Amino acid sequence: MVGGKGQSAESVRAEARNAFRAYDGLGCDVLAMVVNRVAAEDREAIAERLAARLPVPCYVLPDEPALSAPTVAQITHALGATVVLGDDAGLARDALDFVFGGAMLPNFLNALTPGCLVVTPGDRADLVVGALAAHWPAPRRSPGWC
């Protein structure tokens, strides 16, 4: 298995070829090569280069951030935190990014990304309320509302 995160197609090809040669040189029966965490847009180019250079099947897997993201439950456990509000569904969510709140609310809201975990000081209730409001669905309006 070869990691392809942040690497060009050529460097992944060279690394996979070196890995194949190393295992083959040690007398291992290499049945296939797997390259994971490549950029989705580079997947086909990398697969073509590997297929042309290696004598075994090569599988190229795109990067999937959710696979390396911790869940809220894992973060809670690691910190020894106590859940004050929420349920098991909320704890099962992946933390795809982290946003540390300390800025003014407008700047903080611009930093939020889908799936991010907000870390903020206890005296910044404005950031907590702002983060909740930013992800709350907009109310449905009847046709008569202005």
Side-chain angles (χ1 to χ4, degrees):
M1 181 165 309
V2 174
K5 185 170 181 140
Q7 295 190 47
S8 68
E10 184 57 32
S11 66
V12 169
R13 183 204 58 79
E15 190 173 333
R17 193 168 133 192
N18 289 342
F20 175 82
R21 286 181 176 171
Y23 287 117
D24 190 51
L26 291 171
C28 298
D29 293 327
V30 180
L31 303 177
M33 294 294 295
V34 176
V35 178
N36 67 351
R37 301 188 76 184
V38 300
E41 61 271 10
D42 295 337
R43 185 174 175 270
E44 290 299 321
I46 291 171
E48 288 173 8
R49 287 182 184 201
L50 291 176
R53 303 284 169 107
L54 293 176
V56 296
C58 300
Y59 302 97
V60 181
L61 307 174
D63 188 26
E64 177 55 54
L67 294 177
S68 60
T71 64
V72 175
Q74 290 170 326
I75 294 168
T76 301
H77 177 74
L79 296 175
T82 302
V83 176
V84 177
L85 181 66
D87 57 14
D88 289 342
L91 292 173
R93 291 183 182 190
D94 294 328
L96 300 175
D97 195 7
F98 297 89
V99 175
F100 294 91
M104 298 299 292
L105 183 60
N107 295 333
F108 169 75
L109 292 176
N110 287 333
L112 295 179
T113 58
C116 72
L117 177 74
V118 173
V119 179
T120 184
D123 65 347
R124 295 300 306 270
D126 60 323
L127 300 182
V128 174
V129 173
L132 290 171
H135 292 301
W136 206 262
R140 293 186 182 185
R141 298 184 177 187
S142 67
W145 289 14
C146 296

